[in-house]
Amino acid sequence: MYFSYKIIFLFFLCTWGAKAEDPLGRFCNENTIIGSGGKLSANIDKILTEIALKTPSTGFVATTYGKDQDKVYALAQCRGDVSTQDCSNCIQDATKQIRQRCPNQVDGRIWYDYCFLRYSNKSFFGEVDTSFGIFYFNVENVTDPEDFNKELGALMDHIRAQAVVPREEGLGKGKSVLSPFVTLYALVQCTRDLSEISCAQCLSIAVNNFPNFCSNRKGCRVLYSSCYVRYELYPFFFPLDSNKTGPSNTAKVSVYT
Ligand SMILES: *[C@@H]1O[C@H](CO)[C@@H](O)[C@H](O)[C@H]1NC(C)=O
Ligand SMILES: *[C@@H]1O[C@H](CO)[C@@H](O)[C@H](O)[C@H]1NC(C)=O
Ligand SMILES: *[C@@H]1O[C@H](CO)[C@@H](O)[C@H](O)[C@H]1NC(C)=O
């Protein structure tokens, strides 16, 4: 097994659909503690206001605020398939929650299903970052792993190829009918600051880490700072195929590499 990781941060079971506004995860870099009330902290607040305002219209903002040692870089992005309204709600939640959850860190990141937000005093635009990952997986296993993995692999290849076409803006999604009663849905999304090569690289790292936590699972999500990968046996991306959703027990693991 090639995958090496230093710490598995937490592991718990949760019931799907607990609270809508709860993020899927967050990362506060403890090596970047700053006092509140400083210029840097004020600049973070300023850039978050700008992000909340500007992200919904295009679904993506990468911007800076301030100068010299107080310069802040921020990136916010909604998943390419969500509506402007869902994007706006998600970004509002993200900009509020991140300051509560990372009050003293200058490198903060927060993940939701519909959006992702990150800021730092260090430039990170265009860089693939898979140093911190969150995995969510369905605790149930598929009954026919061999066939399932073949179909999943083929679908993933297809949508990864889609995501690196420039006009797709890092989004790939699709479905595969496994039987009259079972359809597999999958989606990948890179942050839009990445080049095609970097997007492909991030998605490849995510998919190559499937065996660690997603193996034979009925559903799985990999959340990185540069890309998002998810598959489920129920519709979850827009336009929604139908309104059946997945009531399922999900486990979460956070991994530092
Ligand atoms: C970012 O802020 C941290 C904490 O104040 C500081 O240690 C670090 O040198 C800063 N990095 C840059 C690139 O300014
Ligand atoms: C699914 O498979 C994993 C690994 O083989 C096992 O640990 C787990 O208990 C299985 N889950 C269920 C619900 O049977
Ligand atoms: C969604 O569910 C409702 C009732 O539960 C049903 O009337 C409606 O047709 C469903 N819509 C779709 C698109 O399946």
Side-chain angles (χ1 to χ4, degrees), residues 32-34 40 106 121:
T32 64
I33 303 289
I34 48 163
L40 204 43
V106 74
N121 63 338

Side-chain angles (χ1 to χ4, degrees), residues 240-243:
L240 272 182
D241 228 19
S242 73
N243 45 22

Side-chain angles (χ1 to χ4, degrees), residues 85-234:
Q85 189 58 57
D86 284 342
C87 178
S88 177
N89 294 343
C90 189
I91 293 290
Q92 298 294 339
D93 286 343
T95 50
K96 283 191 202 103
Q97 292 286 325
I98 197 164
R99 286 298 263 163
Q100 289 173 22
R101 287 164 198 258
C102 307
N104 301 312
Q105 293 86 355
V106 74
D107 175 3
R109 310 173 197 186
I110 193 162
W111 286 261
Y112 292 82
D113 266 325
Y114 292 172
C115 70
F116 168 69
L117 166 66
R118 170 182 189 186
Y119 56 74
S120 176
N121 63 338
K122 195 165 156 285
S123 173
F124 57 85
F125 299 154
E127 289 170 18
V128 176
D129 186 338
T130 54
S131 61
F132 175 75
I134 302 168
F135 293 75
Y136 272 87
F137 54 87
N138 192 321
V139 296
E140 287 178 31
N141 301 310
V142 297
T143 48
D144 186 355
E146 205 174 314
D147 265 7
F148 181 81
N149 288 327
K150 208 160 63 189
E151 295 289 343
L152 178 61
L155 181 56
M156 278 296 164
D157 286 351
H158 179 70
I159 64 177
R160 282 161 65 186
Q162 206 179 68
V164 299
V165 174
R167 70 175 142 70
E168 301 296 336
E169 299 181 326
L171 176 69
K173 61 187 170 83
K175 61 180 176 175
S176 180
V177 177
L178 306 185
S179 81
F181 311 105
V182 183
T183 303
L184 173 63
Y185 298 84
L187 178 146
V188 297
Q189 175 76 68
C190 291
T191 56
R192 283 158 59 179
D193 58 318
L194 296 188
S195 66
E196 290 153 47
I197 298 259
S198 298
C199 175
Q201 191 190 344
C202 189
L203 296 177
S204 159
I205 292 169
V207 171
N208 287 337
N209 279 328
F210 272 8
N212 296 297
F213 303 107
C214 305
S215 208
N216 304 335
R217 301 299 188 175
K218 285 186 172 177
C220 201
R221 261 171 287 183
V222 185
L223 313 164
Y224 283 132
S225 302
S226 298
C227 64
Y228 171 103
V229 175
R230 181 177 185 186
Y231 73 84
E232 304 288 355
L233 289 174
Y234 56 83

